[in-house]
Amino acid sequence: MARKSPEIQVEETGGNQFASLASAQRSARVALASDMAELIKGMIEQGSLEIRNGQIIPKGK
């Protein structure tokens, strides 16, 4: 059975929307951290990952 992933959408943000490169990088880090947290939470709920001794690890390892 082939794996199905949700459709990925990429949006380009113009450089003129940020005061500096540093502020653009901070914005990207915040967005990435938020997305990764949701991804990890979902993987824990699905049973792909588990929390053991305070660490998030692949299930069964």
Side-chain angles (χ1 to χ4, degrees), residues 12-19:
E12 184 176 346
T13 303
N16 60 351
Q17 294 185 8
F18 298 98

Side-chain angles (χ1 to χ4, degrees), residues 11-52:
E11 294 181 26
E12 184 176 346
T13 303
N16 60 351
Q17 294 185 8
F18 298 98
S20 67
L21 179 59
S23 65
Q25 289 172 330
R26 279 190 296 276
S27 178
R29 283 194 297 265
V30 169
L32 178 62
S34 176
D35 291 345
M36 289 298 296
E38 290 302 313
L39 176 68
I40 291 169
K41 288 177 188 176
M43 291 178 75
I44 291 170
E45 289 174 2
Q46 292 174 353
S48 300
L49 298 175
E50 65 182 344
I51 302 172
R52 191 183 313 155

